[in-house]
Amino acid sequence: MTKLDAIVVGAGFAGLYMLHRLRQRGLSVQVLEQGGDVGGTWYWNRYPGARCDNESLGYSVSFLPELDQEWSWPERYSEQPVILRYINRIADELDLRRDIRFNTRVESARFDGSENLWQVDTDNGERLQARFVIMATGCLSVPNWPDIKGREDFAGDTLHTALWPHEGYDFTGKKVAVIGTGSTAIQSIPHIAGQAGKLTVFQRTANHCVPAQNGPLDPVVERERKAHYPEMRERARYTRSGDVVPQGEITIMDLDDEALEVVLQDCWDQGGFYTQYPFADQMTDPQANARVTAFSHQHIRSRVKDPATAELLCARDHPFGTKRLCADTGYFETYNLDHVHLVDLNTTPIEAVEARGIRTSDAMFDVDVIIYATGFDAMTGALTRIEITGRDGLVLRDKWDHGTRSLLGVSVAGFPNLFTVTGPGSPSVMINVVAAIEQHVEWIDACIGWLGEQGAASIEASPDAENAWVEHVNATADATLFPKANSWYMGANIPGKARVFMPYVGGLGPYRHHCDKVAADGYPGFVVTGKQGGPA
Ligand code: NA7
């Protein structure tokens, strides 16, 4: 049996950085990765139009300053192949592949208290042992297949956006159905429409959307950023969003209609998440939020020619930004094409998938291919699919059955020496995820270093501190409009999943200060065993 200091699960941004840090510490580390190569999210999500909604100058790693200078992002928001190339470059630069086992799925991890060791079993029948296990499994890595009657009966091709064929897919002349209208659908639909003979989009809930305003990266912006990269990276570490965009400087309710229109138009012209962060009250005051919603609806009406379709595309069932905001490039205009149709599943729900297509309550849609753009079992899916057994036979899936519980989103009571990168209860998906990952990885690495210095055997969240943190995470979310949406942040997209707001909305900067203080104060709230003078 292979015996290691640490096992890292996943080889996306998080797993790669974790490997790098622990290796620098002189630890023996093995990364286990289900995919055939590095990249995580960016390895799997290869659908047409897949790109990051965070600007690449920020959505990139801070620990390779030479790469910051050398690398050129062709566009403001990079498409998937470019990001995947970038991640490959990181792996090459740091010679990481030699410690990564690909095509290896972790099936179970079991803590052996007598030896303070984790036993990890893979689908290749291999067993490894390590003192530490770091789950770098990603927040959006388990695709959600909806439970639609007859799904298996379809005779044409079935695709899921998160499991896209590596060789691509030619839609030329085909009759195509897309189910779902989240970020993924909004990115891919204009591209699919460009090829398909006929495209029918099945919408259950319209999503709030802002124009991405993507384009070639302005050389002046690039030059400026490269001249100040270290300062910008340092600033980003302490902002709420993990990026350097304007944050919370404008109070919507202080502005009259005319002034607000000017400010919002400016946001829409700048595009992307510029629309989300400048406002202090957008996510807390329903009235302020409604004014942004009204502006966004006006915008949609100006872009979609058919008024009935435009109304269907206006999100109404949740406040603006309370589901992950989508960034669009030509999405709304796609519905002006004669061969593209929108089906409203609220008035005519899907009754079944049949061999020749999709039957709704009032029509049969014959199609050649069905694309499920139906999202993920987010935040917990990858963790609960692994049989993770901690102290005294406690299984993580069972512990989280009524809602996720974790201290700082990084450590769970009952699971010693197990760390979760961007776990539930941390800022993770609410912010620039690369910044969130770096903060967690650095904190975990320092914690492991500290345990070594103390000669300690294990660390885990104490139940009291975990409860207090969960309460704080909930209270922070409850002070906002976020819990009002049936979002994947709430687990609401997965039937039967506990409805708890999972990410921490307090912002990266305040969260980092808190985590740093915990470390500086010797990890209060954590149970440390084997430490000199402590329990064995
Ligand atoms: P999302 O945002 O979860 O969107 C999934 C879409 O699929 C959404 O419109 C869902 O409608 C729809 N959906 C899910 N199940 C069904 C069924 N059974 N019938 C009809 N429609 C359904 O996933 P994405 O992949 O677009 O984006 C995920 C994240 O990746 C994104 O937020 C970014 O952070 C990157 P619903 O809203 O549930 O009514």
Side-chain angles (χ1 to χ4, degrees), residues 111-151:
F111 183 69
D112 175 354
S114 63
E115 294 199 66
N116 266 324
L117 283 175
W118 282 90
Q119 256 180 30
V120 171
D121 288 320
T122 74
D123 61 348
N124 299 334
E126 196 185 0
R127 176 164 289 180
L128 300 91
Q129 265 190 345
R131 226 180 120 205
F132 300 102
V133 171
I134 298 105
M135 305 301 293
T137 40
C139 295
L140 295 162
S141 39
V142 174
N144 170 41
W145 289 97
D147 189 13
I148 298 176
K149 194 172 133 205
R151 188 160 59 76

Side-chain angles (χ1 to χ4, degrees), residues 269-288:
D269 290 345
Q270 294 202 51
F273 294 150
Y274 271 90
T275 48
Q276 207 175 18
Y277 296 118
F279 304 112
D281 51 350
Q282 178 182 290
M283 300 312 296
T284 50
D285 180 343
Q287 256 182 300

Side-chain angles (χ1 to χ4, degrees), residues 28-344:
S28 60
V29 189
Q30 178 70 62
V31 179
L32 303 171
E33 165 58 53
Q34 182 178 354
D37 206 340
V38 297
T41 289
W42 301 106
Y43 172 84
W44 296 102
N45 286 270
R46 294 163 186 255
Y47 58 82
R51 67 175 69 244
C52 186
D53 292 339
N54 274 88
E55 295 185 44
S56 296
L57 288 174
Y59 188 89
S60 43
V61 303
S62 71
F63 53 86
L64 291 172
E66 301 83 18
L67 190 58
D68 271 349
Q69 296 304 322
E70 189 198 313
W71 189 268
S72 256
W73 297 103
E75 292 176 282
R76 181 178 173 191
Y77 307 96
S78 290
E79 52 180 0
Q80 174 269 338
V82 176
I83 302 174
L84 188 58
R85 226 170 19 249
Y86 175 76
I87 297 174
N88 272 274
R89 175 65 191 274
I90 295 169
D92 293 341
E93 195 87 9
L94 300 171
D95 186 23
L96 298 176
R97 280 195 177 74
R98 65 184 157 88
D99 287 325
I100 307 174
R101 206 160 304 153
F102 296 107
N103 302 307
T104 304
R105 207 190 121 65
V106 171
E107 306 232 294
S108 67
R110 172 174 283 275
F111 183 69
D112 175 354
S114 63
E115 294 199 66
N116 266 324
L117 283 175
W118 282 90
Q119 256 180 30
V120 171
D121 288 320
T122 74
D123 61 348
N124 299 334
E126 196 185 0
R127 176 164 289 180
L128 300 91
Q129 265 190 345
R131 226 180 120 205
F132 300 102
V133 171
I134 298 105
M135 305 301 293
T137 40
C139 295
L140 295 162
S141 39
V142 174
N144 170 41
W145 289 97
D147 189 13
I148 298 176
K149 194 172 133 205
R151 188 160 59 76
E152 308 293 336
D153 299 340
F154 183 54
D157 290 334
T158 296
L159 300 173
H160 193 296
T161 47
L163 297 167
W164 205 258
H166 285 207
E167 63 282 10
Y169 190 94
D170 185 5
F171 292 101
T172 310
K174 293 205 159 121
K175 286 182 287 202
V176 183
V178 173
I179 300 179
T181 49
S183 291
T184 298
I186 283 168
Q187 286 188 341
S188 58
I189 282 167
H191 293 262
I192 295 163
Q195 274 194 350
K198 188 174 177 194
L199 172 61
T200 310
V201 178
F202 295 82
Q203 172 181 278
R204 191 164 67 179
T205 312
N207 265 286
H208 290 289
C209 208
V210 293
Q213 307 292 20
N214 188 31
L217 186 60
D218 181 342
V220 177
V221 172
E222 184 181 10
R223 249 197 326 274
E224 174 69 10
R225 182 59 62 89
K226 286 188 174 181
H228 300 286
Y229 239 136
E231 301 99 275
M232 168 261 159
R233 296 277 192 207
E234 192 51 30
R235 265 179 59 209
R237 287 160 71 83
Y238 293 93
T239 62
R240 294 183 75 79
S241 66
D243 221 331
V244 281
V245 291
Q247 331 232 333
E249 287 146 14
I250 302 167
T251 302
I252 290 171
M253 296 310 285
D254 285 350
L255 303 177
D256 63 22
D257 287 349
E258 212 175 309
L260 181 61
E261 173 101 11
V262 171
V263 170
L264 287 173
Q265 189 57 53
D266 183 49
C267 283
W268 256 244
D269 290 345
Q270 294 202 51
F273 294 150
Y274 271 90
T275 48
Q276 207 175 18
Y277 296 118
F279 304 112
D281 51 350
Q282 178 182 290
M283 300 312 296
T284 50
D285 180 343
Q287 256 182 300
N289 191 284
R291 294 177 77 190
V292 179
T293 300
F295 179 87
S296 117
H297 288 178
Q298 206 178 299
H299 198 260
I300 293 169
R301 289 183 193 114
S302 73
R303 291 171 65 187
V304 180
K305 285 187 190 145
D306 173 45
T309 305
E311 290 314 308
L312 284 178
L313 291 166
C314 289
R316 290 193 176 79
D317 84 322
H318 58 283
F320 187 89
T322 52
K323 281 188 170 186
R324 164 62 150 68
L325 206 54
C326 305
D328 95 283
T329 301
Y331 173 66
F332 292 107
E333 287 77 5
T334 305
Y335 293 97
N336 296 334
L337 301 170
D338 290 339
H339 68 294
V340 179
H341 301 278
L342 184 66
V343 173
D344 174 21

